[in-house]
Amino acid sequence: MDAAASPAPAWFCGAPLPPAVDPGLARRTQEAIEAAAPADDWAELLQRAWPSLEPIFGASPYLAGLARSRPGALADILSLGPTKSLDRLLSQTARPSVDSGETMVRLRRLKAELHLLTALADLWGAWRLEEVTAALTRFADAAVQSALALAAREAAAAAALRPPAGEEDGPVPGFFVVAMGKMGACELNYSSDIDLIVFYDPTALPLAPGKESAAVAIRLTDRMAAILQERTADGYVFRVDLRLRPDPASTRVAVPVPAALEYYETVGQNWERAALIKARPAAGDLRRAGAFLEALQPYIWRRNLDFAAIADIHSIKRQIQAGVEKERLAAAGHDLKLGAGGIREIEFFVQTQQLIAGGRRSQLRAPATLHALEALVAAGHVERAAADELSGAYRTLRALEHRVQMVHDEQTHRLPRAEAERRRVAALAGYRDLRTFDAVVARTLRTVDRRYGELFAGEEALASRFGSLVFTGVEDDPETLETLQRMGFSRPKAAAAAIRSWHHGHIAATRTERGRELLTRLAPRLLEASRVTGAPDLAFERFSAFFSALKAGVQVQSLFLARPKLLELVVKVMACAPEFARDLARRPAALDALLDPTFFAPLTLAPGSADRIAGAGGFEAAMDAARRAHREEAFRIGMQLLAGLAGASQAGGAFSDLADAIATGLCRASLEEVGRVAGEFNGEVALVALGKWGSREMTARSDLDLMTLYRAREPATASSITGLSADTFYARFTQRLVAALSAPTAEGTLYQADLQLRPSGTKGPVAVSFAAFEDYYEREAEVWELLAMTRARVVWASSREHAEAARSAIDTALRRKRDRAATAREVRAMRALMAAERPSGGFWDMKLCDGGLVDIEFAAQYLQLCHAADGGPLRANTAEALTALAAAGLGEPAPITALAHAWRLQQDLSQILKVALPDDADPAAEPKALQGLLAKAGGARSLRSLVRNLEAVRAEAHGAFTELTSG
């Protein structure tokens, strides 16, 4: 062929492309076409066109391959021109067929011819951008309709559907396909997927007898998609993406119309409203499709938007990191669609403003990006200069996107990094010089980036300094996953999936529109708060469990947004305290305490707590009030302890004060309830705290060891209504009290109440009379019971006089003369038996290990018991007892000092561990934040150092116990 002397084809309209980038590829393509030419007229046609074809086939291996495999199609395109070629191709695409194999082959071959046609029309300048995308979209519509028709005929042949009476409502009445995204806006790109949503009206489907609508609709959808996307020897037609349907993680591929309408009206999101701007009936029952989309118009276009809704619409844009770094805006390797300054930023620039103003101005509802930009200019929402720059950039970027895809028919939007490959794109774009091409691309990206950055400028950032954080849509955003990895998340897909599920209203906290709008702002802050813990996956996972358990989320999210430092604190605490996080997930209402302005005030219980419980309005109401008070105050204590705002010694007193107030309120409510049922009784009763409660050493998970001590007044009269004795009356009171403290209610649980330390243990009456108490401790009490009694403390009594009498009775029981040697033997034997029957649970068991809290408590109690008869000090609290014993000279200073030091250290650690971890957990496996908190509490630099210190301190304490109890 004498290419140099041949004129260009008659419909060539553009400037000549640069010489072939790959002359060898062009030559091989020319030879293959010549060999296939069947007649002189064909050869002459190709010869005339070759100067304009050679640069294309020398730059695009894909187009060169199409020309070699389909020379006849190439000749037809050249002779007919683009318009007639497209009409012929579309008529063949829509041709009905009963043979599935023939349809599959035909659609794939026609897709290849369409690619060749649109490439030539685009590269030769015969079609503008809108004509190229329209041609691609029209073919997609015809292909989907053809695939659906074949699927319907196969379903009818399989007796799933009745054959349709006519084509008025499509091949399947009540079944329709809505095109979304670029297909919906007639903006389909060269190698695009097609985004479809399939809906059906269960009442309109022509089902065969015995068939179920959902199963048939799903079968039709699956078959239609397979016809289009199944790869054969001829390739595929389109990849079909059905994930823009309502809540794709929970719904099937075909969605019933009633369910879809309910979804959009209740939990539809603003990004879905933005997506529905481009929705268009594409195939099937077009009449019902149009009616369905018309019904959605009030959802898509709202006339009145509050501030929160506008902020959430803005967030569609603001979640994308609008970077300005020059290296990110360079041509090499840049993503023309998703990258900074790319196509998506132009689309979001348009769509966010459409959503805000389109409810009041119907002229702004154009689905196509360029048309919508012009409408925004006409309505005064966008300046002409901005619109012109963005329109020009949009055309440039879309043209480049097409050329990137023409090179190898890849579904990519990224310019090649390699210069050799990028030269192919540059050549198809008409550039001889790669440097000039790269400069033009970079300038275009910067223009878009600048205009995009001006949109809603100065508003709250919703990205991270590590990059984009985008959770709209139905699939993972690649840049977001990279951002999460840079933030330290080892499971970024899990975090992204959780946040997307929240956006879909899968949890109560985001079931309302307001809740989802707040989540848009909260999510980046939550991720950043998780990052700074040093264990982002754990922190996020534990917060997720709590967040998912909330019954409502607007108030909590608003609180965290208003007080970001509080969010950081809560997430930090959750990261280092799994037990605390689990408790909060089980009882998220505890977070209500954060609303109290005194939450971070010193740990003193608010006055009147017991009065509010007792006066709640009946026994059941008092039980619920007690649980609410405990939930909030225990949460406050735990938070302050884990945040380092309160010391462990303060926490022990605070937990005990809380138990005192709750028990006092419930004692009064229980006595009133028994009196209401059985009548008033002429007597007195006191509540005596024992164990850690009595010694004011409670932790977050302490039980309540208690007994009730009563006496009848003289003369001892029975209940005025039922004639109950004192024993029965106060037994009922005690049982009511134990139930009030232990039984679960709708507000949760309180404590495990334990009566085993009363005289005679489980064998004796649940309520103890004064006479029985005095007799028992004078005649029968064993040494271990007397040791336990050193921690007795009167918490409440029905009168001040009875409280003093109870204290006096306890003091009398403890101050009787003891045989010191015999007592020492009993103490050592008791400790040995405990070690055999209840061995230590491991190194972090502060209670039962050698040198642990039991050793220290036994030593302090033994010394008190031995010296009480001689006026020695009696103190319920172990630390106070050791201090008083040392001050009185009732023990060698060195061992007492060792015990006191070991007690303080282990009590401090125990407070943190009981709030933070389950009993069998190893702090070494927990985040550094918890290890640091434990080390700080123990006065050590690291957990390893703390372990060494603790080993030494315990050894000294165990030796001190042995020395002091030697008798």
Side-chain angles (χ1 to χ4, degrees), residues 338-405:
L338 304 179
I343 295 166
R344 182 167 65 173
E345 292 190 354
I346 301 174
E347 293 173 336
F348 280 176
F349 182 99
V350 172
Q351 290 169 348
T352 52
Q353 294 177 90
Q354 283 182 286
L355 286 178
I356 291 169
R360 296 180 302 278
R361 294 174 178 263
S362 59
Q363 66 269 31
L364 299 181
R365 301 176 185 179
T369 303
L370 293 177
H371 295 167
L373 252 180
E374 287 302 311
L376 287 166
V377 171
H381 288 279
V382 175
E383 295 179 358
R384 168 51 64 189
D388 287 347
E389 286 187 349
L390 290 175
S391 294
Y394 182 79
R395 291 182 183 280
T396 298
L397 293 172
R398 288 301 309 272
L400 290 175
E401 177 185 47
H402 287 175
R403 281 146 183 77
V404 168
Q405 295 172 350

Side-chain angles (χ1 to χ4, degrees), residues 232-249:
T232 70
D234 297 294
Y236 66 97
V237 189
F238 289 104
R239 288 174 291 267
V240 179
D241 193 336
L242 298 166
R243 290 174 297 173
L244 285 181
R245 68 186 183 273
D247 197 3

Side-chain angles (χ1 to χ4, degrees), residues 855-944:
D855 276 2
I856 301 165
E857 290 162 1
F858 274 17
Q861 292 162 10
Y862 160 75
L863 289 176
Q864 290 182 85
L865 203 58
C866 288
H867 296 289
D870 300 324
L874 290 176
R875 303 286 189 276
N877 180 268
T878 304
E880 293 175 3
L882 290 170
T883 300
L885 288 165
L890 300 178
E892 292 297 323
I896 290 181
T897 299
L899 290 174
H901 178 49
W903 186 89
R904 281 193 299 272
L905 174 60
Q906 293 182 97
Q907 182 70 7
D908 287 351
L909 296 176
S910 182
Q911 286 290 352
I912 295 171
L913 289 170
K914 291 297 184 182
V915 170
L917 300 176
D919 288 336
D920 57 352
D922 181 0
E926 293 300 318
K928 296 292 185 185
L930 178 61
Q931 296 180 24
L933 187 63
L934 287 168
K936 181 179 179 182
R941 291 186 175 183
S942 66
L943 188 69
R944 183 178 299 179

Side-chain angles (χ1 to χ4, degrees), residues 678-683 712-713 715-726 729:
E680 296 297 325
F681 191 89
N682 187 24
R713 292 198 188 101
T717 56
S719 165
S720 61
I721 296 178
T722 61
L724 295 180
S725 66
F729 184 90

Side-chain angles (χ1 to χ4, degrees), residues 249-314:
S250 304
T251 57
R252 304 296 295 270
V253 291
V255 183
V257 167
L261 291 172
E262 181 181 4
Y263 170 86
Y264 288 124
E265 290 169 2
T266 55
V267 295
Q269 300 170 61
N270 278 316
W271 72 263
E272 290 176 298
R273 294 175 57 210
L276 285 167
I277 292 174
K278 296 180 181 292
R280 177 178 59 83
D285 191 338
L286 299 182
R287 180 174 61 85
R288 284 188 172 87
F292 172 76
L293 291 180
E294 185 63 30
L296 286 183
Q297 293 306 295
Y299 160 71
I300 303 171
W301 306 108
R302 301 183 189 177
R303 288 192 58 81
N304 299 302
L305 294 169
D306 60 20
F307 175 81
I310 293 174
D312 190 56
I313 292 169
H314 289 188

Side-chain angles (χ1 to χ4, degrees), residues 22-23 47 55 57 98 137 209 243 251 393 419 527 625 644 653 663 689 697 725 858 861 878 925 932 941:
D22 187 346
Q47 182 180 11
F57 298 149
V98 295
T137 304
R243 290 174 297 173
T251 57
E419 288 190 3
L527 294 167
E697 298 167 0
S725 66
F858 274 17
Q861 292 162 10
T878 304
R941 291 186 175 183

